[in-house]
């Protein structure tokens, strides 16, 4: 991935994190702390993705290896969350179900944007 793509993806993750932080502030001000807590989870996912992405960039010189590393880590994390979601459904734990759904939605958005930016270079 070239520097422009790398910068674009990092900027996307930072912009989304900032927008989510603004939403958290608004929700807390409106006494909607529970919703704010779910948004905190979402913000954490974007920050986590940024950390993994930056690690993939530092660890591998070849773009293809960096992409494989990033994708494999996201896949592993998603698998864990899907398993947790299934267990929460089995136990009818509505709070946990919502938490896992927020995580998976954020991850889906990240993957979609990453793929769009990556494919722009092909």
């Amino acid at each position: 991935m070239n520097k422009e793509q790398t910068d674009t993806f990092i900027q996307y993750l930072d912009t989304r994190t900032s927008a989510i932080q603004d939403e958290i502030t608004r929700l807390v001000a409106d006494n909607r702390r529970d919703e704010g807590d779910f948004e905190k989870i979402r913000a954490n996912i974007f920050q986590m993705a940024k950390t993994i992405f930056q690690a993939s960039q530092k660890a591998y010189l070849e773009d293809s290896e960096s992409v494989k590393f990033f994708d494999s880590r996201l896949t592993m994390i998603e698998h864990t969350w899907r398993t947790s979601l299934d267990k929460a459904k089995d136990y009818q734990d509505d709070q946990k179900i919502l938490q896992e759904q927020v995580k998976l939605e954020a991850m889906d958005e990240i993957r979609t944007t990453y793929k769009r930016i990556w494919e722009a270079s092909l």
Side-chain angles (χ1 to χ4, degrees):
M1 186 173 277
N2 67 35
K3 178 154 174 41
E4 183 179 331
Q5 289 170 304
T6 298
D7 291 347
T8 299
F9 189 62
I10 293 292
Q11 181 181 15
Y12 154 75
L13 293 170
D14 287 343
T15 300
R16 283 294 288 134
T17 300
S18 178
I20 294 166
Q21 295 291 352
D22 291 346
E23 179 68 6
I24 292 166
T25 301
R26 188 184 68 73
L27 289 168
V28 170
D30 288 346
N31 288 323
R32 295 163 57 192
R33 189 168 300 278
D34 288 347
E35 291 173 67
D37 289 344
F38 286 117
E39 291 305 305
K40 286 178 188 175
I41 293 169
R42 188 181 313 276
N44 288 339
I45 303 310
F46 281 87
Q47 292 170 339
M48 178 199 65
K50 179 180 176 181
T51 300
I52 295 169
F53 179 73
Q54 289 173 324
S56 74
Q57 296 294 299
K58 290 177 184 171
Y60 299 99
L61 297 175
E62 293 290 323
D63 286 348
S64 62
E65 291 300 314
S66 175
V67 169
K68 285 179 191 173
F69 175 86
F70 185 64
D71 185 59
S72 70
R73 292 304 177 266
L74 295 187
T75 299
M76 187 172 52
I77 292 165
E78 280 177 311
H79 176 73
T80 301
W81 292 341
R82 288 189 194 290
T83 300
S84 183
L85 176 60
D86 290 343
K87 287 180 183 176
K89 287 178 179 177
D90 288 345
Y91 291 103
Q92 299 176 351
D93 184 343
D94 293 338
Q95 180 83 3
K96 186 70 171 171
I97 289 169
L98 288 172
Q99 289 172 350
E100 298 308 316
Q101 287 173 334
V102 166
K103 291 176 187 178
L104 291 166
E105 287 170 7
M107 187 66 80
D108 185 53
E109 180 184 337
I110 291 164
R111 279 187 174 277
T112 299
T113 302
Y114 180 74
K115 186 176 178 183
R116 182 181 44 80
I117 292 169
W118 177 252
E119 288 177 350
S121 73
L122 300 178

